[in-house]
Amino acid sequence: MNVKELRIALTVDDFDKAVTFYQDTLGLRAVNSWNNPDGRGLILSVKSATLELFDKAQADTVDNIEAGKRVSGQIRFAVQVDDVEKTASELEKAGATIVNAPVSTPWGDTNQRLQTP
């Protein structure tokens, strides 16, 4: 098997707000879009991506480290940036909600949890 692309599709309540957040604020590059009578869609591309698989215990552990309690649903997105606090501030101004202050993780990263709009 030769997987050529992994695509994750998010169904959002406010399409325009989500487009602004992911494309304009995060700077993801649009590679395809459509606006049809039966719906709108946008495909965004990033330079690099990984897929993490957690069992429930690991998801609980990561949430407790990064947010102090279980906050994630079945899907959690993470982005790597140069300045966590500056980026979190910019994302908050763009409509994200800060869930917790930045934390130093056992795996050596500084992470901050936000809830996207």
Side-chain angles (χ1 to χ4, degrees):
M1 182 179 304
N2 181 20
V3 176
K4 295 182 180 181
E5 177 183 13
L6 172 66
R7 186 176 298 171
I8 299 167
L10 296 179
T11 301
V12 296
D13 292 329
D14 187 331
F15 184 79
D16 293 321
K17 191 172 187 177
V19 169
T20 297
F21 186 82
Y22 287 98
Q23 181 177 287
D24 300 341
T25 304
L26 283 178
L28 303 184
R29 185 175 57 89
V31 295
N32 195 358
S33 66
W34 56 96
N35 185 354
N36 300 321
D38 55 347
R40 296 186 293 165
L42 175 67
I43 298 174
L44 299 164
S45 180
V46 297
K47 184 177 176 181
S48 175
T50 59
L51 174 65
E52 291 182 81
L53 301 176
F54 291 167
D55 65 11
K56 186 178 178 330
Q58 180 63 27
D60 290 344
T61 298
V62 172
D63 273 7
N64 283 323
I65 290 168
E66 295 181 355
K69 62 182 178 181
R70 184 76 167 120
V71 294
S72 293
Q74 191 172 9
I75 299 172
R76 176 182 62 90
F77 285 98
V79 295
Q80 184 179 26
V81 297
D82 292 326
D83 187 329
V84 171
E85 291 184 35
K86 179 181 176 197
T87 301
S89 176
E90 291 172 6
L91 295 177
E92 183 179 32
K93 289 175 188 167
T97 303
I98 293 182
V99 174
N100 200 32
V103 297
S104 296
T105 66
W107 48 90
D109 294 332
T110 300
N111 291 357
Q112 184 166 8
R113 282 295 182 96
L114 295 99
Q115 181 72 39
T116 62

